[in-house]
Amino acid sequence: MSTTLKIGYLRLLTRLGKKSLITKSVFNYPYRISLGDTFSENPYYNDQSNVGEILATAAWVIDKKNPVVFDIGGHCGFIATQLAEILRKTQPAIYSFEPVAPTFSDLVQSVVDLSLHEFIHPVPIALSNSAGFVKLNYSKRNSMLAQIIDGSKESNQRSGTEVYIAPSQTLDEFCKLAAFPDVIKIDVEGWEVHVFEGASEFLKSPANDKVGICLEWNPEALQQAHSSSRALYELLNEYRFFYLNDYEGQKIPELQEVLNLTALAHCCNLFAMKGTDQQAEIWKLNFRQLKKAFQVSV
């Protein structure tokens, strides 16, 4: 079915009063679409959506029993639900953080509708550099662009005009209360520096040497959040970075190590690790095997 027909089909369902749709992803696993939300619908139009991030995150823990996954910026649950299915045999614990109330409701509904409550634990907070509250701009039609507003700065309203107040917690404190992650997927529209500023104990922990981080490298969003790619690199300067994909035709080969990170001026997805060459090669092998097994492209 063409993209035009897919869009028409979803619009027809919306006019008929449907609020959601359960369908199957490129991985052949079910997922829930929140109709009317462009980014929830995106995997239906673009079946390669988020494939690189899902494969990279799964590949890091596919050989581990009971892996703990932090999905920071959980949105409506597409990535979390696909990871739960891919990692099902390992019995994962996936903590999916989503601070915007309507989007969190969609995340919870995805977990319920797909019967994945055993593996996915929705968390209605924003991770930041301090405990308290944060303010976010949000648009229901483009919910993935929800962006935390620095209280001392003006919002650019790129992500919508609706405003939500959400509780915040540091990653360090959450780890003490819940669990220490084996792998993190993070996409928080430029708030990454604040998240890792609240993770100083996590970053210094010896256990952190075995943690992988899948992240969106987005200099523009970081600037909009009144931060910078240089600040993010300095927080993660002990990591090695490997290129996944971008939105400009794969400017750097898949899985190639990036040696000059701050020279990346475009938005892309990366995977970071402190591991040895052997650990990096095992991760790459797992990535390629998953990619072949599901017959997907990144």
Side-chain angles (χ1 to χ4, degrees):
M1 187 186 299
S2 70
T3 299
T4 301
L5 286 175
K6 287 180 177 180
I7 292 172
Y9 176 59
L10 295 189
R11 295 291 74 79
L12 174 61
L13 293 177
T14 302
R15 287 196 294 271
L16 291 173
K18 285 189 68 68
K19 301 296 185 183
S20 64
L21 173 69
I22 304 295
T23 186
K24 286 196 173 182
S25 71
V26 70
F27 296 105
N28 203 34
Y29 293 126
Y31 71 98
R32 179 183 179 275
I33 298 172
S34 178
L35 293 171
D37 183 345
T38 300
F39 284 94
S40 183
E41 294 176 352
N42 188 47
Y44 188 71
Y45 307 143
N46 173 18
D47 60 7
Q48 305 306 315
S49 176
N50 302 122
V51 167
E53 301 97 291
I54 291 167
L55 290 181
T57 304
W60 188 254
V61 291
I62 194 70
D63 300 321
K64 184 177 180 64
K65 185 178 179 181
N66 304 126
V68 175
V69 180
F70 280 12
D71 174 23
I72 306 174
H75 192 234
C76 295
F78 177 70
I79 289 179
T81 59
Q82 299 307 289
L83 283 172
E85 295 287 9
I86 292 171
L87 298 172
R88 181 182 285 270
K89 291 183 179 179
T90 72
Q91 296 289 293
I94 301 171
Y95 293 87
S96 190
F97 299 82
E98 177 51 56
V100 178
T103 311
F104 180 77
S105 295
D106 282 331
L107 167 61
V108 171
Q109 199 61 54
S110 293
V111 174
V112 171
D113 288 353
L114 301 174
S115 300
L116 292 171
H117 50 276
E118 179 183 356
F119 307 121
I120 302 176
H121 311 291
V123 185
I125 64 171
L127 290 179
S128 190
N129 53 7
S130 64
F133 293 91
V134 294
K135 183 165 64 172
L136 301 100
N137 272 139
Y138 162 83
S139 167
K140 175 60 179 174
R141 285 206 54 80
N142 297 288
S143 63
M144 186 168 280
L145 294 179
Q147 193 170 45
I148 295 176
I149 307 165
D150 188 325
S152 63
K153 308 291 183 180
E154 289 293 322
S155 166
N156 60 26
Q157 297 189 341
R158 156 187 174 271
S159 49
T161 57
E162 294 184 59
V163 175
Y164 281 88
I165 304 297
S168 66
Q169 183 56 276
T170 66
L171 190 148
D172 281 340
E173 287 304 310
F174 187 85
C175 288
K176 293 175 185 176
L177 293 170
F180 196 93
D182 295 296
V183 66
I184 292 173
K185 183 242 85 186
I186 179 169
D187 181 356
V188 288
E189 295 301 312
W191 203 248
E192 287 83 359
V193 169
H194 296 76
V195 172
F196 288 112
E197 283 177 343
S200 58
E201 294 178 32
F202 163 81
L203 291 172
K204 294 174 184 175
S205 170
N208 179 254
D209 292 348
K210 297 181 180 179
V211 178
I213 302 175
C214 183
L215 71 154
E216 183 181 67
W217 179 263
N218 191 336
E220 182 181 1
L222 286 162
Q223 186 176 28
Q224 289 167 351
H226 309 287
S227 187
S228 68
S229 52
R230 167 61 66 178
L232 180 56
Y233 171 70
E234 288 176 355
L235 284 165
L236 301 177
N237 63 8
E238 294 184 5
Y239 284 81
R240 303 167 64 184
F241 293 85
F242 297 84
Y243 202 85
L244 297 177
N245 54 19
D246 53 54
Y247 311 98
E248 303 179 41
Q250 200 67 31
K251 299 184 77 167
I252 294 176
E254 180 182 300
L255 304 187
Q256 179 173 304
E257 186 166 3
V258 179
L259 299 178
N260 186 7
L261 189 63
T262 55
L264 290 181
H266 62 281
C267 182
C268 56
N269 291 302
L270 305 170
F271 194 82
M273 66 180 77
K274 290 184 179 179
T276 63
D277 286 342
Q278 182 181 18
Q279 288 172 311
E281 289 306 312
I282 291 172
W283 169 73
K284 289 181 183 181
L285 177 62
N286 288 341
F287 182 99
R288 293 182 178 119
Q289 287 178 338
L290 286 170
K291 183 179 176 182
K292 182 178 181 180
F294 288 110
Q295 298 183 328
V296 293
S297 58
V298 174

